[in-house]
Amino acid sequence: MNEGAGSDPVRIGIITPLGEPGDGSAGELVVRGACLGVEYVREHGGARDSRGIELVLYDDQATAATEGMFRSAAGQMAKLALVDDVVAVMGQWHLRTTPWVVDVATKYNIPIFVENGYSEITAQKRRNVFRSYFSVADRVPLMLDFAAQLGIRTVGMVCADTAFGLHTGDVLEQYGRTRHGMEFLRLDFEQDGAPDFGDLLGQIRDYQPDLFINGGVVRTNYQIMHAAAEAGLLPGTPLMVPFSYPLRSNDFWRLAGDAGVGAMWPAMQYRPSWPEMSEIGRWFTERYRQRYGDFPPDTALTHFTDVTIVAAASRAARSTDRDDMIDAMEAMEFPTWRGPIRYERGPAHWHHAAPELVLLQYQKQGQGFDESAIIYPSDKATAQYVPARSANEL
């Protein structure tokens, strides 16, 4: 991972889930993206004073089995802050650990990139917190504005009792009720328990909603799809999922099967056929495909981007001291896969440079995510929405 770092590298911390009870698959993508970011920097002049970059990697689940995810993640972050002398940190995936990790980073004034769905983290207006990804609050309007356009009035929803699941359910309900007058039947379940999905999905089916939202997370998201199909809820009811796991199309079809046909989800406008990909984005997608044989998911892309931003800031800053790095990040414009971005202190959020989002739909079994239909907003659409039952019959 750190070949070519040299004797005096700029050190960047990666704190991410590498095993259970966290999402180790997401952590692997984080590491892949960061490593390719290091390669890109090395091939394009290096970091400050042409130095290499060394990644310092910690599993934020390392002691989760004995002391819980919060303490485990905070403890690993403290090591980065006090022992490893990193100039910045990235890799947080789980919403439930993010506040703890950010608090430690703030205490020691370390720039940290938060690339998950936590809606309020950049609204706390912390000088050291940055994001180039999108939050739950960014994606919910896209989902429910489109649903309202379809005439949807009633929504059945199951939500995992994780930080992400509960937060997403709350934002969906609040926005849908206040903005569109929608009615919700929401059923929460224990992610780490043994929920009876047959009973839960039977209740949703009997409610006869116009839309079904699957708020399951790791593992339970696919269990819910199959239970919904067995209960007769799918394919006849439109299905939305609130985060971008369908982009891992090979895994999605292997685990979802026929129940995934017709699924809709919000995502960045990022795919092999997108004509506006920048030069740095093309470098990354081509190198990732050479290395791993597939087009990279957005999780890898985003952490690649973060590494290149830290390297650019290190070259421009007065020094690699943490205050100077933050000053540089606030003052500069950075080239990214979608063009230049800036980190500004906005009225509602600081340092939240979210990409443009679109709503995607799988309309045929086995589609790759580049083949998925962009169905909303209308000025970005590549195909019309296909009702779930019709999609399943194609």
Side-chain angles (χ1 to χ4, degrees):
M1 182 173 72
N2 287 314
E3 294 178 5
S7 59
D8 184 27
V10 172
R11 308 184 90 192
I12 298 175
I14 310 288
I15 176 170
T16 200
L18 299 177
E20 293 185 351
D23 185 352
S25 296
E28 180 181 1
L29 293 174
V30 167
V31 174
R32 286 182 180 182
C35 287
L36 288 180
V38 171
E39 288 186 25
Y40 179 86
V41 172
R42 184 170 61 241
E43 294 177 16
H44 292 79
R48 185 176 187 84
D49 300 326
S50 301
R51 292 153 63 189
I53 292 176
E54 179 182 351
L55 298 179
V56 184
L57 174 63
Y58 284 113
D59 179 8
D60 65 15
Q61 307 297 301
T63 61
T66 57
E67 60 180 359
M69 291 177 68
F70 311 110
R71 289 179 179 274
S72 177
Q76 307 310 309
M77 180 66 226
K79 293 178 186 177
L80 289 171
L82 296 173
V83 179
D84 297 302
D85 194 30
V86 297
V87 302
V89 173
M90 60 194 67
Q92 274 300 276
W93 176 254
H94 293 291
L95 270 70
R96 72 183 87 175
T97 59
T98 295
W100 296 67
V101 170
V102 167
D103 281 349
V104 176
T106 300
K107 181 175 182 178
Y108 296 104
N109 199 36
I110 301 176
I112 183 168
F113 290 80
V114 176
E115 309 296 20
N116 62 27
Y118 203 116
S119 296
E120 291 87 16
I121 204 73
T122 46
Q124 295 169 0
K125 300 183 178 179
R126 304 189 193 211
R127 185 169 177 264
N128 68 308
V129 178
F130 298 83
R131 174 159 53 194
S132 57
Y133 197 61
F134 57 97
S135 72
V136 169
D138 294 322
R139 66 190 79 175
V140 162
L142 189 80
M143 297 169 65
L144 295 187
D145 289 352
F146 177 72
Q149 182 176 291
L150 293 181
I152 285 169
R153 302 290 298 173
T154 58
V155 180
M157 179 166 58
V158 291
C159 298
D161 67 345
T162 64
F164 176 83
L166 297 177
H167 174 62
T168 301
D170 291 345
V171 177
L172 283 162
E173 276 198 277
Q174 192 275 335
Y175 187 87
R177 292 183 190 278
T178 59
R179 187 62 178 265
H180 296 299
M182 293 175 174
E183 298 178 2
F184 288 78
L185 173 62
R186 171 182 169 181
L187 302 176
D188 296 344
F189 64 90
E190 293 185 18
Q191 170 72 11
D192 296 328
D196 183 349
F197 287 124
D199 176 65
L200 290 175
L201 276 301
Q203 292 181 58
I204 298 290
R205 176 203 59 215
D206 294 344
Y207 180 60
Q208 298 184 331
D210 300 326
L211 173 69
F212 171 51
I213 297 179
N214 175 357
V217 290
V218 182
R219 297 180 305 277
T220 59
N221 46 5
Y222 292 110
Q223 294 173 13
I224 289 167
M225 283 190 189
H226 289 292
E230 291 172 5
L233 183 63
L234 299 179
T237 307
L239 167 67
M240 281 186 181
V241 301
F243 73 103
S244 302
Y245 62 89
L247 293 180
R248 308 175 201 174
S249 50
N250 291 336
D251 287 342
F252 180 81
W253 291 116
R254 176 174 59 84
L255 296 170
D258 291 343
V261 180
M264 297 173 277
W265 72 95
M268 303 187 301
Q269 188 170 328
Y270 157 71
R271 52 171 64 199
S273 60
W274 187 48
E276 297 178 42
M277 183 90 71
S278 71
E279 181 179 348
I280 189 172
R282 293 294 176 195
W283 183 98
F284 171 68
T285 56
E286 290 169 11
R287 183 65 59 90
Y288 189 99
R289 196 191 297 275
Q290 291 170 8
R291 187 71 46 79
Y292 300 108
D294 202 358
F295 190 78
D298 60 1
T299 304
L301 168 74
T302 303
H303 290 82
F304 165 84
T305 300
D306 293 345
V307 169
T308 64
I309 287 172
V310 173
S314 78
R315 291 192 294 267
R318 292 182 294 270
S319 74
T320 53
D321 288 348
R322 292 163 184 174
D323 270 324
D324 290 343
M325 288 291 293
I326 293 172
D327 286 344
M329 289 179 192
E330 289 191 315
M332 295 176 62
E333 185 173 79
F334 298 96
T336 73
W337 61 274
R338 53 188 162 106
I341 66 170
R342 300 189 71 93
Y343 288 110
E344 299 176 346
R345 297 187 180 188
H349 292 263
W350 283 11
H351 308 156
H352 181 64
E356 186 174 14
L357 300 181
V358 292
L359 194 68
L360 304 179
Q361 184 187 31
Y362 278 138
Q363 298 184 337
K364 295 181 181 179
Q365 168 72 256
Q367 281 184 315
F369 90 86
D370 192 36
E371 303 170 304
S372 62
I374 300 175
I375 56 174
Y376 186 78
S378 57
D379 63 333
K380 305 293 183 184
T382 61
Q384 292 185 337
Y385 162 74
V386 175
R389 186 174 297 279
S390 297
N392 199 54
E393 294 169 354
L394 288 176

